Amino acid sequence: MRTLTLLIRAALITGMALAGTAHAENLSADTDEPKADKFPLSAGASISYRFGHANFIESKGDFGSQTLSVSPNLGYTLTDKIGLGFSIGASKALDTSYFYSGTASKNVKAPWEISDISFSASYGGFYTIPKVNIKMSSSLGLSVPMSKTSRAAGRILVASPGLSLGWKAGSFSVGAGFGYTYFLNQSATYQVDCGVYQEVCDKQYLGSSETGIANPLLNLSTSLSLGYSLKPIPVSLSVRYGLSNGASAVSGVSDEFTVDNAQVGTQWGLGGQSFGASVRYAFLPKASLSFSYSVGGGVYTNDNERYRLPFFDFESQLRNRVSYGVSLSASL
């Protein structure tokens, strides 16, 4: 029954996308009028349905997850290479996974939750490396906390500068990205608002607002992507592999009680990796339907003894690191 419901939801989203195609094509008929200058302001929106692999595995408990999200966005073109962007979204957990039961929406009948507000600036193709024709682009993203998770963590601002390289030959393209993310927090750890949750502070934290759960401080990431366009068919394929590692805002202190193998100073993680693939069908010049799957997790296996293959979750019994998605996007 779960699998049938899952497929019906995906089919409904796909059907809604294709139902409006014929009408939209009539509106975009060619005319003999000369083209005007491109309007600098653009707008778009996307709706996505994502579900975990655990939905297809029989188990004694309900471990599957399904999420519906919408994201409108605005863009402004300053020059042919420089642009500004703004986006905000909302999501609803249709069926919350057991593994994510600690999030704000942990009931099956969860409310819609707003995401953080994002501002971005991009400088595309600001330099081309001679002879090899590799184009360099840069970006800067700023995220203002609006979601329950960010506000609970005491987030003030998140800044994400990035650099990307791109090369294209016919229908084939290669891209590489490098990113740095800095988290500006009110505190190095999650704090409990004792004015609202005094009982929690008294019983669990001995009257203190300190939880001991560390906030992130920074994150470093890099990625490699490959793309191929099936022209003249409006279908494109892409795969992406990424590596990342981060440090927490809490620093380890060295004193007489510190053990020999303790990490002193900046607390770095063990690193993570991700892999994803997608198929995109542009059924209109400014509208597309995408199908994707992604896998996330650590660089090493759960026992930390060997490298973990990133293409699928071969370790966990419920394959909970694997998720699939269908997304409809359109712009004006």
Side-chain angles (χ1 to χ4, degrees), residues 22 26 68 75 94 123 133 145 148 153 179 211 218 238 247 249 251 274 309:
N26 293 332
L68 182 66
L94 304 178
Y123 191 177
N133 197 33
K148 290 181 179 179
T211 66
L218 60 89
S238 65
S251 297
S274 61
L309 294 176

Side-chain angles (χ1 to χ4, degrees), residues 27-326:
L27 296 178
S28 61
D30 294 335
T31 64
D32 295 331
E33 297 179 0
K35 292 183 178 180
D37 293 337
K38 187 177 180 180
F39 191 63
L41 185 64
S42 62
S46 64
I47 178 171
S48 302
Y49 172 58
R50 196 149 201 90
F51 48 95
H53 190 85
N55 288 281
F56 303 101
I57 297 178
E58 294 293 334
S59 62
K60 295 181 180 179
D62 185 7
F63 295 97
S65 62
Q66 301 175 47
T67 304
L68 182 66
S69 60
V70 294
S71 178
N73 59 82
L74 295 173
Y76 188 83
T77 303
L78 295 176
T79 69
D80 58 341
K81 294 184 178 181
I82 301 177
L84 304 176
F86 165 83
S87 66
I88 188 172
S91 62
K92 179 180 176 64
L94 304 178
D95 194 1
T96 306
S97 167
Y98 169 83
F99 297 100
Y100 298 98
S101 61
T103 58
S105 293
K106 58 184 178 180
N107 299 316
V108 174
K109 295 182 179 179
W112 281 94
E113 294 186 8
I114 194 170
S115 67
D116 295 338
I117 298 177
S118 297
F119 300 91
S120 63
S122 61
Y123 191 177
F126 66 86
Y127 180 74
T128 301
I129 301 177
K131 297 183 180 181
V132 293
N133 197 33
I134 296 178
K135 294 185 178 181
M136 303 178 66
S137 302
S138 62
S139 63
L140 174 63
L142 297 176
S143 178
V144 179
M146 289 292 292
S147 65
K148 290 181 179 179
T149 302
S150 294
R151 288 186 284 120
R155 200 87 70 236
I156 299 174
L157 185 71
V158 179
S160 305
L163 177 68
S164 61
L165 307 176
W167 177 81
K168 187 175 182 180
S171 298
F172 183 72
S173 62
V174 181
F178 308 91
Y180 172 83
T181 303
Y182 181 80
F183 299 85
L184 182 61
N185 307 300
Q186 294 178 359
S187 174
T189 59
Y190 280 65
Q191 302 290 310
V192 178
D193 187 350
C194 294
V196 179
Y197 304 104
Q198 186 62 53
E199 185 177 354
V200 175
C201 293
D202 293 340
K203 290 185 177 181
Q204 296 189 27
Y205 302 107
L206 302 178
S208 171
S209 62
E210 178 63 63
T211 66
I213 303 173
N215 265 317
L217 176 65
L218 60 89
N219 186 75
L220 301 172
S221 63
T222 183
S223 64
L224 176 66
S225 60
L226 303 175
Y228 188 77
S229 177
L230 302 178
K231 294 180 179 179
I233 304 174
V235 175
S236 58
L237 312 174
S238 65
V239 294
R240 180 184 180 277
Y241 174 74
L243 285 170
S244 64
N245 197 10
S248 71
V250 176
S251 297
V253 179
S254 178
D255 54 26
E256 65 272 21
F257 302 106
T258 304
V259 297
D260 294 336
N261 60 346
Q263 190 180 59
V264 178
T266 302
Q267 304 292 295
W268 289 94
L270 296 176
Q273 62 177 343
S274 61
F275 178 82
S278 65
V279 178
R280 178 177 175 270
Y281 171 52
F283 56 89
L284 286 176
K286 294 186 177 182
S288 63
L289 187 65
S290 301
F291 300 90
S292 63
Y293 99 98
S294 61
V295 186
V299 176
Y300 300 100
T301 52
N302 291 342
D303 57 12
N304 207 32
E305 293 292 332
R306 62 189 186 280
Y307 174 75
R308 182 182 65 82
L309 294 176
F311 312 111
F312 194 73
D313 183 1
F314 299 100
E315 285 193 287
S316 68
Q317 184 178 2
L318 298 176
R319 313 291 185 243
N320 56 79
R321 296 170 178 152
V322 181
S323 63
Y324 309 91
V326 54

